[in-house]
Amino acid sequence: MPATLETEDAIKDLSGDYKYGFVTDIETDLAPKGLNEDIIRLISTKKEEPEWLLEWRLEAYRKWLKADDPDWAKVHHPEIDFQDIHYYAAPKKKEGPKSLDEVDPELLETYEKLGIPIKEQEVLAGVQGAPNIAVDAVFDSVSVATTYKEKLEEIGVIFCSFSEAVQDHPELVKKYLGSVVPVSDNAYATLNSAVFTDGTFVYIPKGVQCPMELSTYFRINTKDTGQFERTLIVADEGSKVSYLEGCTAPMRDENQLHAAVVELVALDDAEIKYSTVQNWYPGDKDGVGGIYNFVTKRGACRGKNSKISWTQVETGSAITWKYPSCILQGDNSVGEFYSVAVTNNMQQADTGTKMIHIGKNTSSRIISKGISAGKAQNTYRGLVRVQPGAEGARNYTQCDSLLMGDKCGAHTLPYIEVKNPSAQVEHEATTSKISEDQMFYCVQRGLDPEEAVSMIVNGFCKEVMQELPMEFAVEAQKLLGISLEGSVG
Amino acid sequence: MSIVPYQEQFEALKPEFGALAPLREAAFARYAEHGFPAQAREAWRYTKLSPIANAGFAPAEPASLPASDIAAHLIPDAITLVFVNGRLDDALSNIDQAETGLSIKRLNEAGDILNDALDLSSAGPDDALVALNAALMQDGAVIEIAEDAHIDAPIHLLFFTNRPGMSQIRNLIRVGAGARATVVESYFGNRETYWTNVVNQIDLGDGAHLEHARSQEEGVNAFHIGAMQMTLSADASFNGVSVMRGGSLARNEVQVTVSGEGADCKLAGVSLGRGKQLLDSITRFDHAVPNTTSDQLFKSVMDDGSHAVYQGKVIVRQDAQHTDATQANHNLLLARTAQASSKPELEIFADDVKCAHGATVGELDDSMMFYLKSRGLDEDAAQKLLIDGFISEVLERIPSPEIRDLFLTDIGGWRLGG
């Protein structure tokens, strides 16, 4: 391609097939479509839940019936028929798989296709000195294998599926469930509270630094199942944990709803790092199919000197609607949000964060990079609020947008609300495109335009990418390239 | 139709409608469809209108005003129109001053022009008060500047209220192709509880240029809702500066449609708040064509329990390549209970554009204060110097020294507690 060619002229439709679009054929235990109190009772019974949890679900369901779906985001989709969804699907249970050998080989194969096999040694092969990763694999709604569990148990770390936690640690679940994201937070979170089937529970006891990165793999598999998982991470005083979450989904023509809730609680001096790479099926280039990713993620820095850090690389989903947030309650607590959101073709992303400064000397940092190509719409929506008591609060926000092509959009909606004069709040944002000079330089050095774009985009996102744990960084960099494939000819 | 606020006032004014009756009827119907905007509406989230809706203001009674009351606010050699309680006061005004190419009419003399110029077809629920204004408008200036006319004397619109009630003011300013003019608006009042609802429509022809300065110093109990709707044709340029410091609840909304290539719109504002004031600035810049530029600079200095709001929006349409738009909002909080809310918003559908925004909120810089004190300045003097410096960036954008000085004098009064 002549190097002088305008970047926008070079934009071409993404024609490559979704690399991870395959369906694993496993017998599933499926609830009938639709949502009513009986379905919720069924879920609760299937999961052998205590009475209080069923009541909690039913209360959420009743609230959901009255709740309106959020309509303020800059996303468009046909109305979701919540009665046309299976609310429970579980792979047919074999007797409690204790080791990987007992796991359905087809399932293992699925994970291998994903590029990150469940066998952690393989994950780490060739990476010298890399920390161990424990994987709690969620297949549709039920956790099928948990590795390294015993090793973690030795030091008191609880890392298990949500269902197990309900059975084994009900006091912890009862104490923290819904304490960060209240049942009536928003309609999707309310729905999740009513029908969540599984997810992950992590508890790090006092003073324990979790020796390995905890990792979960979520997949949506059964046709027409909305996945409603629930994650709860509690870091007790002085503890530290890093949690990775990665997602891919099989190719589908019908839109699938995914409404997860993630709650993080950090007590005094605790630190939680939560990293996400989201690569669910974005739909084809005409916008047919793809996942609706409507997720509520929120962390509470309850204790003093606590820290919660969100890092996300969002490349997938037809629609992304998520705002990982931090409630900075404890004095000197720190909230961070690092985000890369890539949208191509007909994808829509409305994502950002909320930093609520309540405690004294709390600080937050927001770095958001939005990349929009094709006919995609990419919105950053964020709130920084400093409450009257947040003496000495500090925020720095930077959100940059990169536009590739003249049919896409990039929007920035920051809200800044300051009620304390000692706060220092700064916000900067820019919108630009890949300049001809940058392309010319790269191409003139012998890179093909696609490599050049990938390199420039990775450079644009560098501040975020370097926050990812190493195990994720490599995959995420590749993902950026794959997601923008074909956006330059 | 259910009863909406101000329906009675509308019915009462009907006998005076004359030629504008159909326009007013249509405007009221549009307003009545939505009523007063609720805080649930994004554009009104910080401004609570219920005190105005519930007050059901009747038009403010006519009253006379001694010339000495406004003497300090006059611009030398200006063409001055003084409105008292929403109506033009001939004795205090000097419209007759002859300038080639300038036509100034009162609202009730300009029925044809208004029928032609007022377009409420796009007025949505957020513009309900603009529609209400069109239904109830009492007076205002219709200013037309002919092609290529250069009007050197500033045109000064001065609004003074000293009776309780409402003033519904509508001004229309049309600057012809290649023409140049300066328009200044000032709002003053006493301690009565009153409501000024003013809508300015400004149309700039090809290559036209307008210097605009606005000073809002309504009385402490006043409500002030201002809206400016502006269209810029090709190569037109606008330079506006606005000072907002009066009223218990005040809002100034500026909607700009940049519809001609090469057009440039600069807008700067400073809000000075104290007591329990809410000062709300909201802008919407719509870049619809390629090669246009806009620049927004909004600052606030908020004392006591006052609250500054800036909601700025820049829209760059798909065809508007090579748009260069910047937005800056800086807030200085002087007191424990002062607050600032800022939402600089970019909505961009074109890729080859330069758009940036920045926002900050903070208090006076400790190290700067320390430096000044170490040079022998006391706390108050140091603070004054820093605030002056902070504000001057906005006021320096007023090119006319006379107007700038007038504004600076007024602001000096603010800091002394006036």
Side-chain angles (χ1 to χ4, degrees):
Chain A
M1 189 185 85
T4 50
L5 213 58
E6 281 275 329
T7 316
E8 63 249 49
D9 294 338
I11 305 294
K12 206 172 69 181
D13 286 334
L14 172 59
S15 52
D17 288 334
Y18 181 63
K19 202 172 138 199
Y20 304 130
F22 49 85
V23 178
T24 312
D25 192 13
I26 301 177
E27 273 186 90
T28 50
D29 191 354
L30 207 60
K33 276 184 181 179
L35 183 55
N36 51 49
E37 294 202 5
D38 289 342
I39 293 284
I40 291 165
R41 283 176 211 282
L42 172 83
I43 295 169
S44 198
T45 312
K46 285 266 185 195
K47 310 203 79 73
E48 295 158 22
E49 285 175 357
E51 188 62 25
W52 66 267
L53 191 52
L54 174 63
E55 279 310 315
W56 194 77
R57 286 174 181 276
L58 289 173
E59 193 203 324
Y61 172 71
R62 285 163 203 148
K63 284 188 171 152
W64 175 77
L65 287 176
K66 288 183 211 143
D68 292 327
D69 290 348
D71 59 355
W72 37 261
K74 209 181 274 295
V75 295
H76 303 281
H77 57 81
E79 206 173 321
I80 298 164
D81 183 356
F82 290 100
Q83 297 303 337
D84 195 35
I85 296 172
H86 293 287
Y87 285 88
Y88 184 80
K92 279 266 163 117
K93 223 170 187 171
K94 294 179 182 177
E95 275 308 303
K98 296 249 164 15
S99 73
L100 293 171
D101 301 338
E102 286 179 31
V103 172
D104 194 328
E106 244 187 294
L107 200 56
L108 288 177
E109 212 182 307
T110 307
Y111 286 116
E112 265 164 54
K113 279 192 217 165
L114 291 175
I116 301 181
I118 199 164
K119 296 170 188 167
E120 57 286 340
Q121 293 90 344
E122 288 170 38
V123 176
L124 300 169
V127 186
Q128 239 182 352
N132 294 332
I133 300 178
V135 180
D136 175 20
V138 173
F139 195 81
D140 271 327
S141 312
V142 175
S143 175
V144 288
T146 304
T147 54
Y148 266 119
K149 206 170 151 181
E150 280 167 28
K151 194 172 167 186
L152 289 168
E153 265 170 16
E154 276 172 33
I155 52 166
V157 172
I158 303 167
F159 177 43
C160 61
S161 74
F162 208 93
S163 318
E164 279 176 74
V166 169
Q167 303 302 330
D168 302 344
H169 310 280
E171 71 297 338
L172 284 172
V173 175
K174 202 170 174 177
K175 183 169 176 191
Y176 292 107
L177 180 68
S179 73
V180 186
V181 179
V183 167
S184 49
D185 190 77
N186 66 72
Y188 304 128
T190 310
L191 177 65
N192 174 290
S193 305
V195 302
F196 73 88
T197 40
D198 215 334
T200 306
F201 177 81
V202 178
Y203 174 78
I204 315 291
K206 277 183 193 172
V208 170
Q209 306 240 330
C210 187
M212 61 188 83
E213 314 252 3
L214 303 180
S215 158
T216 317
Y217 233 80
F218 290 113
R219 277 176 55 78
I220 299 173
N221 194 280
T222 308
K223 209 168 191 302
D224 299 344
T225 355
Q227 187 162 354
F228 303 91
E229 80 268 350
R230 186 109 197 167
T231 302
L232 176 57
I233 300 177
V234 180
D236 213 326
E237 289 169 25
S239 68
K240 191 173 171 180
V241 63
S242 170
Y243 184 87
L244 323 180
E245 167 200 58
C247 326
T248 58
M251 187 177 282
R252 291 283 181 213
D253 274 336
E254 276 168 73
N255 292 309
Q256 289 186 304
L257 175 65
H258 180 93
V261 172
V262 177
E263 295 178 286
L264 311 183
V265 179
L267 303 180
D268 286 0
D269 306 300
E271 184 177 336
I272 301 174
K273 184 177 172 67
Y274 194 106
S275 311
T276 308
V277 172
Q278 186 262 107
N279 181 30
W280 282 328
Y281 178 52
D284 68 11
K285 63 180 168 34
D286 299 316
V288 177
I291 303 293
Y292 290 177
N293 186 23
F294 301 156
V295 181
T296 308
K297 290 184 170 177
R298 196 172 303 155
C301 286
R302 295 245 164 98
K304 57 180 195 299
N305 306 319
S306 55
K307 178 177 175 184
I308 288 179
S309 174
W310 298 98
T311 306
Q312 60 173 22
V313 176
E314 303 280 327
T315 60
S317 294
I319 301 175
T320 301
W321 178 100
K322 70 182 260 198
Y323 314 91
S325 305
C326 297
I327 299 166
L328 303 167
Q329 245 169 304
D331 291 350
N332 310 320
S333 59
V334 177
E336 291 177 336
F337 175 72
Y338 298 95
S339 166
V340 170
V342 182
T343 50
N344 198 355
N345 299 318
M346 300 296 283
Q347 276 178 281
Q348 308 171 58
D350 196 303
T351 183
T353 184
K354 284 188 205 172
M355 294 289 175
I356 313 291
H357 293 258
I358 299 169
K360 291 188 178 68
N361 299 315
T362 47
S363 67
S364 61
R365 184 178 166 86
I366 300 171
I367 307 286
S368 167
K369 307 281 182 178
I371 299 154
S372 203
K375 293 178 180 166
Q377 300 296 331
N378 200 324
T379 305
Y380 168 83
R381 185 187 302 272
L383 169 69
V384 175
R385 176 179 289 156
V386 178
Q387 298 289 50
E391 204 63 32
R394 183 82 180 84
N395 162 267
Y396 175 76
T397 303
Q398 187 188 339
C399 16
D400 297 323
S401 305
L402 192 65
L403 286 153
M404 301 169 71
D406 55 7
K407 303 266 190 302
C408 52
H411 318 297
T412 316
L413 279 107
Y415 290 77
I416 302 163
E417 300 180 354
V418 180
K419 299 183 181 174
N420 184 309
S422 64
Q424 248 192 74
V425 179
E426 291 170 70
H427 173 97
E428 283 178 66
T430 62
T431 302
S432 55
K433 66 168 194 167
I434 295 177
S435 77
E436 279 172 55
D437 291 353
Q438 287 170 318
M439 283 302 283
F440 176 76
Y441 182 84
C442 294
V443 175
Q444 178 241 20
R445 296 288 157 191
L447 292 170
D448 71 40
E450 202 135 280
E451 286 170 334
V453 167
S454 170
M455 194 173 84
I456 293 165
V457 167
N458 269 299
F460 175 75
C461 302
K462 199 177 85 190
E463 286 160 284
V464 174
M465 303 304 263
Q466 66 197 13
E467 291 297 321
L468 284 174
M470 186 180 45
E471 292 79 5
F472 257 21
V474 179
E475 193 193 359
Q477 273 186 22
K478 280 191 207 149
L479 257 181
L480 283 187
I482 293 171
S483 304
L484 291 167
E485 243 169 41
S487 59
V488 154
Chain B
M1 194 191 302
S2 62
I3 298 288
V4 290
Y6 294 91
Q7 179 132 22
E8 279 175 40
Q9 286 85 336
F10 177 71
E11 304 296 339
L13 285 168
K14 265 188 178 170
E16 300 168 31
F17 280 175
L20 286 173
L23 179 80
R24 289 178 186 268
E25 295 277 0
F28 193 82
R30 194 158 278 267
Y31 151 76
E33 209 177 299
H34 309 293
F36 270 57
Q39 277 183 290
R41 297 209 60 81
E42 186 65 25
W44 293 89
R45 60 184 279 138
Y46 299 103
T47 306
K48 192 175 162 192
L49 289 173
S50 50
I52 303 177
N54 297 338
F57 289 112
E61 297 285 324
S64 64
L65 185 72
S68 56
D69 276 19
I70 54 162
H73 303 300
L74 296 177
I75 302 164
D77 303 322
I79 300 163
T80 309
L81 283 78
V82 180
F83 294 81
V84 181
N85 299 329
R87 286 176 196 82
L88 187 74
D89 186 320
D90 285 317
L92 295 171
S93 308
N94 63 335
I95 306 191
D96 322 326
Q97 198 170 327
E99 286 262 359
T100 326
L102 172 67
S103 147
I104 300 180
K105 291 194 176 85
R106 291 181 67 165
L107 207 64
N108 54 13
E109 305 160 351
D112 291 350
I113 303 172
L114 288 169
N115 269 323
D116 172 53
L118 258 60
D119 178 15
L120 289 165
S121 60
S122 62
D126 290 333
D127 306 311
L129 295 187
V130 171
L132 180 64
N133 174 280
L136 299 177
M137 54 191 177
Q138 295 160 287
D139 210 343
V142 175
I143 302 170
E144 290 183 295
I145 292 148
E147 269 186 37
D148 297 319
H150 288 201
I151 309 300
D152 293 327
I155 301 162
H156 189 189
L157 309 177
L158 210 149
F159 303 90
F160 200 99
T161 309
N162 59 6
R163 288 284 183 276
M166 65 170 173
S167 298
Q168 299 282 348
I169 296 156
R170 166 79 64 160
N171 300 308
L172 175 64
I173 301 166
R174 285 174 149 177
V175 186
R180 302 176 67 89
T182 301
V183 172
V184 182
E185 292 169 48
S186 316
Y187 300 85
F188 300 95
N190 63 6
R191 303 183 70 88
E192 297 288 357
T193 302
Y194 64 90
W195 174 32
T196 304
N197 186 27
V198 54
V199 178
N200 289 317
Q201 185 177 330
I202 299 179
D203 297 325
L204 301 186
D206 288 356
H209 177 76
L210 184 67
E211 286 291 336
H212 186 260
R214 184 182 210 275
S215 166
Q216 191 275 94
E217 300 175 45
E218 302 274 21
V220 287
N221 299 313
F223 301 106
H224 180 99
I225 305 289
M228 179 158 94
Q229 300 181 324
M230 180 159 55
T231 316
L232 280 82
S233 304
D235 298 316
S237 55
F238 175 87
N239 181 37
V241 172
S242 154
V243 175
M244 176 154 56
R245 68 187 189 82
S248 60
L249 182 161
R251 174 176 163 109
N252 189 27
E253 174 164 356
V254 180
Q255 295 185 1
V256 180
T257 307
V258 188
S259 59
E261 282 201 44
D264 173 48
C265 187
K266 289 190 179 65
L267 187 64
V270 60
S271 298
L272 306 168
R274 60 156 45 116
K276 292 239 157 234
Q277 281 183 300
L278 174 86
L279 303 177
D280 187 353
S281 295
I282 174 161
T283 67
R284 183 180 190 274
F285 280 49
D286 190 342
H287 292 263
V289 294
N291 299 311
T292 61
T293 51
S294 71
D295 177 10
Q296 299 180 53
L297 172 66
F298 279 82
K299 292 193 166 192
S300 80
V301 182
M302 305 310 280
D303 205 346
D304 303 335
S306 59
H307 183 184
V309 177
Y310 169 73
Q311 296 192 72
K313 187 172 193 173
V314 172
I315 304 167
V316 179
R317 306 266 169 201
Q318 197 173 325
D319 294 331
Q321 296 293 358
H322 308 291
T323 297
D324 188 340
T326 57
Q327 250 180 331
N329 175 231
H330 303 295
N331 301 281
L332 195 54
L333 302 182
L334 299 180
R336 296 270 337 144
T337 44
Q339 50 176 308
S341 303
S342 173
K343 187 178 70 151
E345 188 181 338
L346 297 173
E347 195 172 312
I348 297 170
F349 297 96
D351 63 334
D352 196 359
V353 299
K354 259 170 71 184
C355 291
H357 64 206
T360 58
V361 183
E363 58 186 348
L364 286 170
D365 192 288
D366 279 346
S367 55
M368 290 185 196
M369 285 295 284
F370 176 78
Y371 177 84
L372 292 173
K373 284 194 215 165
S374 75
R375 295 287 181 249
L377 274 75
D378 64 24
E379 176 90 20
D380 284 354
Q383 208 182 48
K384 180 177 173 346
L385 197 66
L386 289 178
I387 294 173
D388 280 348
F390 183 77
I391 295 171
S392 66
E393 198 191 348
V394 171
L395 291 170
E396 273 166 11
R397 293 195 178 196
I398 303 175
S400 151
E402 290 84 15
I403 301 171
R404 194 168 57 229
D405 288 349
L406 187 69
F407 278 42
L408 279 170
T409 314
D410 285 345
I411 289 174
W414 177 76
R415 213 172 300 104
L416 294 169

